[in-house]
Amino acid sequence: MIYPGRFSVTSPFGMRVRNGKRENHKGIDVVGLDDKHVCAVRGGVVGASQIITDKSNRTWEWGNYVRIDGDDGMYYYYCHLAARLVSVGQRVNRGDHIGIEGNTGSVSPMPESESDKTSGRHCHFEVRNLSGWSVDPAPFLDIPNAVGQYGVIWREKVQERFGFSDSTMAFLDTHPFPADLYRKLGMSE
């Protein structure tokens, strides 16, 4: 899970055409539909939480980004964030909020057919192995590497699991962060 709720994949991993140029997209671009908080896909330690503005360093294209050095030995990059919510050296667990989706760095508008098309706000999510090679991030999100809408609709899962009435659900909807509340309830054992 990269968002607390549903999300769209707007550009999968692999070859694509961007600004009229064919390129290898080393990550997957996702847009939060229910919530714009970006969550850690795996637990680990924050290895980077920064923005690089020097255009001679190609990393500037990521804008605000967070790198989680995963407990599994992989490196997880969350890029183009509007805000970073974690600091270098901080321990994070799967599902923790680490940033807010944004459009910092080198971001082109989303295609006309996609969600959030006018702003270009999204999260570029990239996974690298110990050798630094980018790998298909879709399996880490438990989704296919394809444009589409994904994610658990936690509200429905929680109502079904706990047997809450519609009036109880309406009360829970008043929580300041209902998507996060439903995710936590849905993941609880």
PDB file of all heavy atoms in Angstrom, residues 40-48 66-78 89-95 98 125-130 140:
ATOM      1  N   ALA A  40       4.782   4.378   3.657  1.00  0.00           N
ATOM      2  CA  ALA A  40       5.907   3.469   3.444  1.00  0.00           C
ATOM      3  C   ALA A  40       5.373   2.105   3.018  1.00  0.00           C
ATOM      4  O   ALA A  40       4.480   1.557   3.659  1.00  0.00           O
ATOM      5  CB  ALA A  40       6.740   3.341   4.714  1.00  0.00           C
ATOM      6  N   VAL A  41       5.928   1.570   1.944  1.00  0.00           N
ATOM      7  CA  VAL A  41       5.518   0.272   1.428  1.00  0.00           C
ATOM      8  C   VAL A  41       6.150  -0.857   2.240  1.00  0.00           C
ATOM      9  O   VAL A  41       5.556  -1.915   2.409  1.00  0.00           O
ATOM     10  CB  VAL A  41       5.889   0.166  -0.070  1.00  0.00           C
ATOM     11  CG1 VAL A  41       5.681  -1.219  -0.611  1.00  0.00           C
ATOM     12  CG2 VAL A  41       5.088   1.185  -0.866  1.00  0.00           C
ATOM     13  N   ARG A  42       7.339  -0.618   2.765  1.00  0.00           N
ATOM     14  CA  ARG A  42       8.049  -1.576   3.610  1.00  0.00           C
ATOM     15  C   ARG A  42       8.677  -0.816   4.773  1.00  0.00           C
ATOM     16  O   ARG A  42       8.963   0.366   4.675  1.00  0.00           O
ATOM     17  CB  ARG A  42       9.170  -2.290   2.844  1.00  0.00           C
ATOM     18  CG  ARG A  42       8.725  -3.134   1.675  1.00  0.00           C
ATOM     19  CD  ARG A  42       8.080  -4.441   2.133  1.00  0.00           C
ATOM     20  NE  ARG A  42       7.883  -5.378   1.059  1.00  0.00           N
ATOM     21  CZ  ARG A  42       6.850  -5.381   0.229  1.00  0.00           C
ATOM     22  NH1 ARG A  42       5.930  -4.464   0.327  1.00  0.00           N
ATOM     23  NH2 ARG A  42       6.725  -6.316  -0.700  1.00  0.00           N
ATOM     24  N   GLY A  43       8.945  -1.524   5.851  1.00  0.00           N
ATOM     25  CA  GLY A  43       9.631  -0.919   6.986  1.00  0.00           C
ATOM     26  C   GLY A  43      11.112  -0.775   6.709  1.00  0.00           C
ATOM     27  O   GLY A  43      11.679  -1.478   5.866  1.00  0.00           O
ATOM     28  N   GLY A  44      11.738   0.161   7.417  1.00  0.00           N
ATOM     29  CA  GLY A  44      13.167   0.380   7.263  1.00  0.00           C
ATOM     30  C   GLY A  44      13.576   1.675   7.923  1.00  0.00           C
ATOM     31  O   GLY A  44      12.879   2.197   8.792  1.00  0.00           O
ATOM     32  N   VAL A  45      14.713   2.199   7.493  1.00  0.00           N
ATOM     33  CA  VAL A  45      15.268   3.432   8.047  1.00  0.00           C
ATOM     34  C   VAL A  45      15.349   4.464   6.923  1.00  0.00           C
ATOM     35  O   VAL A  45      15.717   4.138   5.791  1.00  0.00           O
ATOM     36  CB  VAL A  45      16.669   3.182   8.653  1.00  0.00           C
ATOM     37  CG1 VAL A  45      17.308   4.473   9.123  1.00  0.00           C
ATOM     38  CG2 VAL A  45      16.563   2.185   9.804  1.00  0.00           C
ATOM     39  N   VAL A  46      15.003   5.702   7.238  1.00  0.00           N
ATOM     40  CA  VAL A  46      15.057   6.772   6.251  1.00  0.00           C
ATOM     41  C   VAL A  46      16.527   7.058   5.930  1.00  0.00           C
ATOM     42  O   VAL A  46      17.286   7.484   6.795  1.00  0.00           O
ATOM     43  CB  VAL A  46      14.352   8.049   6.757  1.00  0.00           C
ATOM     44  CG1 VAL A  46      14.474   9.173   5.741  1.00  0.00           C
ATOM     45  CG2 VAL A  46      12.890   7.765   7.088  1.00  0.00           C
ATOM     46  N   GLY A  47      16.912   6.800   4.681  1.00  0.00           N
ATOM     47  CA  GLY A  47      18.287   7.025   4.236  1.00  0.00           C
ATOM     48  C   GLY A  47      18.470   8.393   3.609  1.00  0.00           C
ATOM     49  O   GLY A  47      19.584   8.916   3.556  1.00  0.00           O
ATOM     50  N   ALA A  48      17.381   8.988   3.107  1.00  0.00           N
ATOM     51  CA  ALA A  48      17.419  10.332   2.513  1.00  0.00           C
ATOM     52  C   ALA A  48      16.035  10.952   2.658  1.00  0.00           C
ATOM     53  O   ALA A  48      15.025  10.262   2.525  1.00  0.00           O
ATOM     54  CB  ALA A  48      17.824  10.279   1.046  1.00  0.00           C
ATOM     55  N   VAL A  66      11.962  11.042  -0.578  1.00  0.00           N
ATOM     56  CA  VAL A  66      12.342  10.257   0.595  1.00  0.00           C
ATOM     57  C   VAL A  66      12.829   8.905   0.088  1.00  0.00           C
ATOM     58  O   VAL A  66      12.220   8.322  -0.812  1.00  0.00           O
ATOM     59  CB  VAL A  66      11.133  10.059   1.544  1.00  0.00           C
ATOM     60  CG1 VAL A  66      11.444   9.038   2.622  1.00  0.00           C
ATOM     61  CG2 VAL A  66      10.705  11.379   2.158  1.00  0.00           C
ATOM     62  N   ARG A  67      13.944   8.432   0.659  1.00  0.00           N
ATOM     63  CA  ARG A  67      14.430   7.082   0.368  1.00  0.00           C
ATOM     64  C   ARG A  67      14.384   6.289   1.661  1.00  0.00           C
ATOM     65  O   ARG A  67      14.938   6.701   2.679  1.00  0.00           O
ATOM     66  CB  ARG A  67      15.865   7.091  -0.156  1.00  0.00           C
ATOM     67  CG  ARG A  67      16.341   5.676  -0.560  1.00  0.00           C
ATOM     68  CD  ARG A  67      17.828   5.615  -0.890  1.00  0.00           C
ATOM     69  NE  ARG A  67      18.585   5.542   0.365  1.00  0.00           N
ATOM     70  CZ  ARG A  67      19.669   6.254   0.636  1.00  0.00           C
ATOM     71  NH1 ARG A  67      20.155   7.119  -0.230  1.00  0.00           N
ATOM     72  NH2 ARG A  67      20.288   6.130   1.794  1.00  0.00           N
ATOM     73  N   ILE A  68      13.714   5.162   1.601  1.00  0.00           N
ATOM     74  CA  ILE A  68      13.684   4.245   2.750  1.00  0.00           C
ATOM     75  C   ILE A  68      14.620   3.092   2.429  1.00  0.00           C
ATOM     76  O   ILE A  68      14.488   2.437   1.396  1.00  0.00           O
ATOM     77  CB  ILE A  68      12.267   3.685   3.000  1.00  0.00           C
ATOM     78  CG1 ILE A  68      11.240   4.803   3.174  1.00  0.00           C
ATOM     79  CG2 ILE A  68      12.267   2.728   4.200  1.00  0.00           C
ATOM     80  CD1 ILE A  68      11.394   5.652   4.384  1.00  0.00           C
ATOM     81  N   ASP A  69      15.599   2.862   3.306  1.00  0.00           N
ATOM     82  CA  ASP A  69      16.485   1.708   3.186  1.00  0.00           C
ATOM     83  C   ASP A  69      15.765   0.551   3.873  1.00  0.00           C
ATOM     84  O   ASP A  69      15.722   0.470   5.108  1.00  0.00           O
ATOM     85  CB  ASP A  69      17.835   1.997   3.838  1.00  0.00           C
ATOM     86  CG  ASP A  69      18.552   3.189   3.182  1.00  0.00           C
ATOM     87  OD1 ASP A  69      18.140   3.612   2.085  1.00  0.00           O
ATOM     88  OD2 ASP A  69      19.502   3.706   3.777  1.00  0.00           O
ATOM     89  N   GLY A  70      15.134  -0.288   3.065  1.00  0.00           N
ATOM     90  CA  GLY A  70      14.248  -1.322   3.567  1.00  0.00           C
ATOM     91  C   GLY A  70      14.938  -2.399   4.376  1.00  0.00           C
ATOM     92  O   GLY A  70      16.097  -2.738   4.134  1.00  0.00           O
ATOM     93  N   ASP A  71      14.199  -2.944   5.324  1.00  0.00           N
ATOM     94  CA  ASP A  71      14.694  -4.064   6.127  1.00  0.00           C
ATOM     95  C   ASP A  71      15.019  -5.263   5.243  1.00  0.00           C
ATOM     96  O   ASP A  71      15.798  -6.127   5.634  1.00  0.00           O
ATOM     97  CB  ASP A  71      13.649  -4.475   7.169  1.00  0.00           C
ATOM     98  CG  ASP A  71      13.404  -3.403   8.212  1.00  0.00           C
ATOM     99  OD1 ASP A  71      14.309  -2.568   8.457  1.00  0.00           O
ATOM    100  OD2 ASP A  71      12.296  -3.386   8.798  1.00  0.00           O
ATOM    101  N   ASP A  72      14.415  -5.305   4.056  1.00  0.00           N
ATOM    102  CA  ASP A  72      14.633  -6.422   3.128  1.00  0.00           C
ATOM    103  C   ASP A  72      15.829  -6.204   2.207  1.00  0.00           C
ATOM    104  O   ASP A  72      16.071  -6.990   1.293  1.00  0.00           O
ATOM    105  CB  ASP A  72      13.370  -6.667   2.303  1.00  0.00           C
ATOM    106  CG  ASP A  72      12.954  -5.448   1.486  1.00  0.00           C
ATOM    107  OD1 ASP A  72      13.636  -4.396   1.546  1.00  0.00           O
ATOM    108  OD2 ASP A  72      11.927  -5.539   0.796  1.00  0.00           O
ATOM    109  N   GLY A  73      16.586  -5.097   2.411  1.00  0.00           N
ATOM    110  CA  GLY A  73      17.771  -4.829   1.604  1.00  0.00           C
ATOM    111  C   GLY A  73      17.506  -4.032   0.337  1.00  0.00           C
ATOM    112  O   GLY A  73      18.435  -3.728  -0.402  1.00  0.00           O
ATOM    113  N   MET A  74      16.251  -3.696   0.085  1.00  0.00           N
ATOM    114  CA  MET A  74      15.906  -2.900  -1.094  1.00  0.00           C
ATOM    115  C   MET A  74      15.854  -1.423  -0.702  1.00  0.00           C
ATOM    116  O   MET A  74      15.722  -1.084   0.475  1.00  0.00           O
ATOM    117  CB  MET A  74      14.545  -3.337  -1.659  1.00  0.00           C
ATOM    118  CG  MET A  74      14.481  -4.814  -2.028  1.00  0.00           C
ATOM    119  SD  MET A  74      15.623  -5.293  -3.327  1.00  0.00           S
ATOM    120  CE  MET A  74      14.632  -4.943  -4.747  1.00  0.00           C
ATOM    121  N   TYR A  75      15.955  -0.556  -1.722  1.00  0.00           N
ATOM    122  CA  TYR A  75      15.863   0.890  -1.515  1.00  0.00           C
ATOM    123  C   TYR A  75      14.563   1.373  -2.156  1.00  0.00           C
ATOM    124  O   TYR A  75      14.314   1.098  -3.335  1.00  0.00           O
ATOM    125  CB  TYR A  75      17.059   1.606  -2.148  1.00  0.00           C
ATOM    126  CG  TYR A  75      18.377   1.197  -1.534  1.00  0.00           C
ATOM    127  CD1 TYR A  75      19.210   0.300  -2.180  1.00  0.00           C
ATOM    128  CD2 TYR A  75      18.762   1.715  -0.305  1.00  0.00           C
ATOM    129  CE1 TYR A  75      20.416  -0.085  -1.611  1.00  0.00           C
ATOM    130  CE2 TYR A  75      19.974   1.341   0.273  1.00  0.00           C
ATOM    131  CZ  TYR A  75      20.786   0.439  -0.387  1.00  0.00           C
ATOM    132  OH  TYR A  75      21.976   0.062   0.181  1.00  0.00           O
ATOM    133  N   TYR A  76      13.753   2.104  -1.389  1.00  0.00           N
ATOM    134  CA  TYR A  76      12.445   2.570  -1.832  1.00  0.00           C
ATOM    135  C   TYR A  76      12.463   4.088  -1.944  1.00  0.00           C
ATOM    136  O   TYR A  76      12.725   4.782  -0.953  1.00  0.00           O
ATOM    137  CB  TYR A  76      11.367   2.112  -0.836  1.00  0.00           C
ATOM    138  CG  TYR A  76      11.295   0.613  -0.731  1.00  0.00           C
ATOM    139  CD1 TYR A  76      12.065  -0.081   0.202  1.00  0.00           C
ATOM    140  CD2 TYR A  76      10.493  -0.112  -1.585  1.00  0.00           C
ATOM    141  CE1 TYR A  76      12.030  -1.463   0.287  1.00  0.00           C
ATOM    142  CE2 TYR A  76      10.445  -1.500  -1.516  1.00  0.00           C
ATOM    143  CZ  TYR A  76      11.218  -2.164  -0.579  1.00  0.00           C
ATOM    144  OH  TYR A  76      11.173  -3.534  -0.514  1.00  0.00           O
ATOM    145  N   TYR A  77      12.176   4.594  -3.137  1.00  0.00           N
ATOM    146  CA  TYR A  77      12.201   6.034  -3.406  1.00  0.00           C
ATOM    147  C   TYR A  77      10.774   6.539  -3.632  1.00  0.00           C
ATOM    148  O   TYR A  77      10.028   5.956  -4.429  1.00  0.00           O
ATOM    149  CB  TYR A  77      13.030   6.330  -4.659  1.00  0.00           C
ATOM    150  CG  TYR A  77      14.486   6.025  -4.502  1.00  0.00           C
ATOM    151  CD1 TYR A  77      14.977   4.739  -4.684  1.00  0.00           C
ATOM    152  CD2 TYR A  77      15.391   7.032  -4.184  1.00  0.00           C
ATOM    153  CE1 TYR A  77      16.328   4.453  -4.550  1.00  0.00           C
ATOM    154  CE2 TYR A  77      16.752   6.753  -4.049  1.00  0.00           C
ATOM    155  CZ  TYR A  77      17.200   5.464  -4.233  1.00  0.00           C
ATOM    156  OH  TYR A  77      18.533   5.185  -4.100  1.00  0.00           O
ATOM    157  N   TYR A  78      10.427   7.629  -2.962  1.00  0.00           N
ATOM    158  CA  TYR A  78       9.125   8.275  -3.070  1.00  0.00           C
ATOM    159  C   TYR A  78       9.407   9.721  -3.488  1.00  0.00           C
ATOM    160  O   TYR A  78       9.940  10.497  -2.699  1.00  0.00           O
ATOM    161  CB  TYR A  78       8.398   8.240  -1.728  1.00  0.00           C
ATOM    162  CG  TYR A  78       8.301   6.849  -1.127  1.00  0.00           C
ATOM    163  CD1 TYR A  78       9.368   6.285  -0.419  1.00  0.00           C
ATOM    164  CD2 TYR A  78       7.139   6.098  -1.276  1.00  0.00           C
ATOM    165  CE1 TYR A  78       9.279   5.018   0.134  1.00  0.00           C
ATOM    166  CE2 TYR A  78       7.043   4.823  -0.721  1.00  0.00           C
ATOM    167  CZ  TYR A  78       8.114   4.292  -0.026  1.00  0.00           C
ATOM    168  OH  TYR A  78       8.030   3.034   0.523  1.00  0.00           O
ATOM    169  N   GLY A  89      17.548   8.856   9.252  1.00  0.00           N
ATOM    170  CA  GLY A  89      17.825   8.079  10.456  1.00  0.00           C
ATOM    171  C   GLY A  89      16.581   7.603  11.185  1.00  0.00           C
ATOM    172  O   GLY A  89      16.656   6.747  12.064  1.00  0.00           O
ATOM    173  N   GLN A  90      15.436   8.143  10.825  1.00  0.00           N
ATOM    174  CA  GLN A  90      14.177   7.775  11.479  1.00  0.00           C
ATOM    175  C   GLN A  90      13.745   6.376  11.056  1.00  0.00           C
ATOM    176  O   GLN A  90      13.854   6.000   9.899  1.00  0.00           O
ATOM    177  CB  GLN A  90      13.096   8.793  11.116  1.00  0.00           C
ATOM    178  CG  GLN A  90      11.762   8.555  11.777  1.00  0.00           C
ATOM    179  CD  GLN A  90      10.755   9.650  11.407  1.00  0.00           C
ATOM    180  OE1 GLN A  90      11.129  10.743  10.983  1.00  0.00           O
ATOM    181  NE2 GLN A  90       9.487   9.340  11.565  1.00  0.00           N
ATOM    182  N   ARG A  91      13.249   5.606  11.995  1.00  0.00           N
ATOM    183  CA  ARG A  91      12.718   4.267  11.727  1.00  0.00           C
ATOM    184  C   ARG A  91      11.260   4.407  11.289  1.00  0.00           C
ATOM    185  O   ARG A  91      10.493   5.121  11.910  1.00  0.00           O
ATOM    186  CB  ARG A  91      12.810   3.427  12.996  1.00  0.00           C
ATOM    187  CG  ARG A  91      12.097   2.122  12.912  1.00  0.00           C
ATOM    188  CD  ARG A  91      13.047   1.018  12.514  1.00  0.00           C
ATOM    189  NE  ARG A  91      12.237  -0.164  12.236  1.00  0.00           N
ATOM    190  CZ  ARG A  91      12.437  -0.922  11.189  1.00  0.00           C
ATOM    191  NH1 ARG A  91      13.413  -0.670  10.373  1.00  0.00           N
ATOM    192  NH2 ARG A  91      11.678  -1.958  10.964  1.00  0.00           N
ATOM    193  N   VAL A  92      10.883   3.751  10.198  1.00  0.00           N
ATOM    194  CA  VAL A  92       9.492   3.757   9.752  1.00  0.00           C
ATOM    195  C   VAL A  92       9.003   2.326   9.578  1.00  0.00           C
ATOM    196  O   VAL A  92       9.788   1.417   9.294  1.00  0.00           O
ATOM    197  CB  VAL A  92       9.296   4.540   8.430  1.00  0.00           C
ATOM    198  CG1 VAL A  92       9.637   6.003   8.613  1.00  0.00           C
ATOM    199  CG2 VAL A  92      10.093   3.944   7.301  1.00  0.00           C
ATOM    200  N   ASN A  93       7.720   2.150   9.754  1.00  0.00           N
ATOM    201  CA  ASN A  93       7.080   0.854   9.565  1.00  0.00           C
ATOM    202  C   ASN A  93       6.193   0.901   8.339  1.00  0.00           C
ATOM    203  O   ASN A  93       5.783   1.983   7.897  1.00  0.00           O
ATOM    204  CB  ASN A  93       6.240   0.487  10.795  1.00  0.00           C
ATOM    205  CG  ASN A  93       7.089   0.319  12.021  1.00  0.00           C
ATOM    206  OD1 ASN A  93       8.078  -0.415  11.996  1.00  0.00           O
ATOM    207  ND2 ASN A  93       6.741   0.997  13.089  1.00  0.00           N
ATOM    208  N   ARG A  94       5.863  -0.247   7.817  1.00  0.00           N
ATOM    209  CA  ARG A  94       4.949  -0.328   6.682  1.00  0.00           C
ATOM    210  C   ARG A  94       3.666   0.412   7.038  1.00  0.00           C
ATOM    211  O   ARG A  94       3.106   0.223   8.109  1.00  0.00           O
ATOM    212  CB  ARG A  94       4.640  -1.786   6.377  1.00  0.00           C
ATOM    213  CG  ARG A  94       3.686  -1.992   5.238  1.00  0.00           C
ATOM    214  CD  ARG A  94       3.423  -3.480   5.026  1.00  0.00           C
ATOM    215  NE  ARG A  94       2.536  -3.697   3.916  1.00  0.00           N
ATOM    216  CZ  ARG A  94       1.215  -3.770   4.028  1.00  0.00           C
ATOM    217  NH1 ARG A  94       0.640  -3.650   5.209  1.00  0.00           N
ATOM    218  NH2 ARG A  94       0.468  -3.960   2.955  1.00  0.00           N
ATOM    219  N   GLY A  95       3.219   1.288   6.146  1.00  0.00           N
ATOM    220  CA  GLY A  95       1.982   2.023   6.360  1.00  0.00           C
ATOM    221  C   GLY A  95       2.142   3.388   7.002  1.00  0.00           C
ATOM    222  O   GLY A  95       1.206   4.178   7.012  1.00  0.00           O
ATOM    223  N   ILE A  98       4.907   9.060   5.195  1.00  0.00           N
ATOM    224  CA  ILE A  98       6.275   9.568   5.024  1.00  0.00           C
ATOM    225  C   ILE A  98       6.307  10.864   4.218  1.00  0.00           C
ATOM    226  O   ILE A  98       7.312  11.549   4.186  1.00  0.00           O
ATOM    227  CB  ILE A  98       7.188   8.517   4.375  1.00  0.00           C
ATOM    228  CG1 ILE A  98       6.662   8.114   3.002  1.00  0.00           C
ATOM    229  CG2 ILE A  98       7.356   7.305   5.283  1.00  0.00           C
ATOM    230  CD1 ILE A  98       7.638   7.299   2.197  1.00  0.00           C
ATOM    231  N   PHE A 125       7.232   6.321  -7.610  1.00  0.00           N
ATOM    232  CA  PHE A 125       7.699   5.305  -6.674  1.00  0.00           C
ATOM    233  C   PHE A 125       8.669   4.396  -7.406  1.00  0.00           C
ATOM    234  O   PHE A 125       8.347   3.838  -8.443  1.00  0.00           O
ATOM    235  CB  PHE A 125       6.513   4.507  -6.135  1.00  0.00           C
ATOM    236  CG  PHE A 125       6.894   3.352  -5.254  1.00  0.00           C
ATOM    237  CD1 PHE A 125       7.584   3.560  -4.071  1.00  0.00           C
ATOM    238  CD2 PHE A 125       6.554   2.060  -5.591  1.00  0.00           C
ATOM    239  CE1 PHE A 125       7.939   2.491  -3.249  1.00  0.00           C
ATOM    240  CE2 PHE A 125       6.888   0.987  -4.783  1.00  0.00           C
ATOM    241  CZ  PHE A 125       7.586   1.208  -3.610  1.00  0.00           C
ATOM    242  N   GLU A 126       9.867   4.279  -6.857  1.00  0.00           N
ATOM    243  CA  GLU A 126      10.922   3.495  -7.493  1.00  0.00           C
ATOM    244  C   GLU A 126      11.540   2.560  -6.462  1.00  0.00           C
ATOM    245  O   GLU A 126      11.708   2.933  -5.301  1.00  0.00           O
ATOM    246  CB  GLU A 126      11.974   4.466  -8.040  1.00  0.00           C
ATOM    247  CG  GLU A 126      12.966   3.855  -8.983  1.00  0.00           C
ATOM    248  CD  GLU A 126      13.776   4.911  -9.736  1.00  0.00           C
ATOM    249  OE1 GLU A 126      13.203   5.932 -10.177  1.00  0.00           O
ATOM    250  OE2 GLU A 126      15.001   4.689  -9.867  1.00  0.00           O
ATOM    251  N   VAL A 127      11.902   1.363  -6.901  1.00  0.00           N
ATOM    252  CA  VAL A 127      12.551   0.373  -6.043  1.00  0.00           C
ATOM    253  C   VAL A 127      13.867  -0.024  -6.695  1.00  0.00           C
ATOM    254  O   VAL A 127      13.912  -0.323  -7.892  1.00  0.00           O
ATOM    255  CB  VAL A 127      11.671  -0.875  -5.834  1.00  0.00           C
ATOM    256  CG1 VAL A 127      12.376  -1.889  -4.943  1.00  0.00           C
ATOM    257  CG2 VAL A 127      10.308  -0.500  -5.251  1.00  0.00           C
ATOM    258  N   ARG A 128      14.942  -0.019  -5.901  1.00  0.00           N
ATOM    259  CA  ARG A 128      16.260  -0.431  -6.400  1.00  0.00           C
ATOM    260  C   ARG A 128      16.821  -1.540  -5.513  1.00  0.00           C
ATOM    261  O   ARG A 128      16.614  -1.542  -4.306  1.00  0.00           O
ATOM    262  CB  ARG A 128      17.222   0.751  -6.424  1.00  0.00           C
ATOM    263  CG  ARG A 128      16.799   1.814  -7.422  1.00  0.00           C
ATOM    264  CD  ARG A 128      17.812   2.904  -7.528  1.00  0.00           C
ATOM    265  NE  ARG A 128      17.350   3.944  -8.442  1.00  0.00           N
ATOM    266  CZ  ARG A 128      18.065   4.998  -8.774  1.00  0.00           C
ATOM    267  NH1 ARG A 128      19.279   5.162  -8.288  1.00  0.00           N
ATOM    268  NH2 ARG A 128      17.574   5.890  -9.597  1.00  0.00           N
ATOM    269  N   ASN A 129      17.579  -2.425  -6.150  1.00  0.00           N
ATOM    270  CA  ASN A 129      18.223  -3.495  -5.386  1.00  0.00           C
ATOM    271  C   ASN A 129      19.571  -3.004  -4.852  1.00  0.00           C
ATOM    272  O   ASN A 129      19.957  -1.854  -5.075  1.00  0.00           O
ATOM    273  CB  ASN A 129      18.358  -4.770  -6.231  1.00  0.00           C
ATOM    274  CG  ASN A 129      19.210  -4.569  -7.472  1.00  0.00           C
ATOM    275  OD1 ASN A 129      20.066  -3.671  -7.539  1.00  0.00           O
ATOM    276  ND2 ASN A 129      18.990  -5.415  -8.468  1.00  0.00           N
ATOM    277  N   LEU A 130      20.297  -3.871  -4.160  1.00  0.00           N
ATOM    278  CA  LEU A 130      21.574  -3.481  -3.556  1.00  0.00           C
ATOM    279  C   LEU A 130      22.607  -3.026  -4.581  1.00  0.00           C
ATOM    280  O   LEU A 130      23.500  -2.243  -4.266  1.00  0.00           O
ATOM    281  CB  LEU A 130      22.149  -4.648  -2.741  1.00  0.00           C
ATOM    282  CG  LEU A 130      21.466  -4.903  -1.404  1.00  0.00           C
ATOM    283  CD1 LEU A 130      21.989  -6.194  -0.775  1.00  0.00           C
ATOM    284  CD2 LEU A 130      21.658  -3.734  -0.469  1.00  0.00           C
ATOM    285  N   PHE A 140       5.684  -4.826  -5.337  1.00  0.00           N
ATOM    286  CA  PHE A 140       5.797  -4.307  -3.977  1.00  0.00           C
ATOM    287  C   PHE A 140       4.513  -3.598  -3.549  1.00  0.00           C
ATOM    288  O   PHE A 140       4.300  -3.350  -2.369  1.00  0.00           O
ATOM    289  CB  PHE A 140       6.997  -3.362  -3.860  1.00  0.00           C
ATOM    290  CG  PHE A 140       8.305  -4.059  -4.108  1.00  0.00           C
ATOM    291  CD1 PHE A 140       8.816  -4.174  -5.392  1.00  0.00           C
ATOM    292  CD2 PHE A 140       9.031  -4.616  -3.060  1.00  0.00           C
ATOM    293  CE1 PHE A 140      10.014  -4.833  -5.632  1.00  0.00           C
ATOM    294  CE2 PHE A 140      10.228  -5.275  -3.287  1.00  0.00           C
ATOM    295  CZ  PHE A 140      10.719  -5.388  -4.579  1.00  0.00           C
TER     296      PHE A 140
END
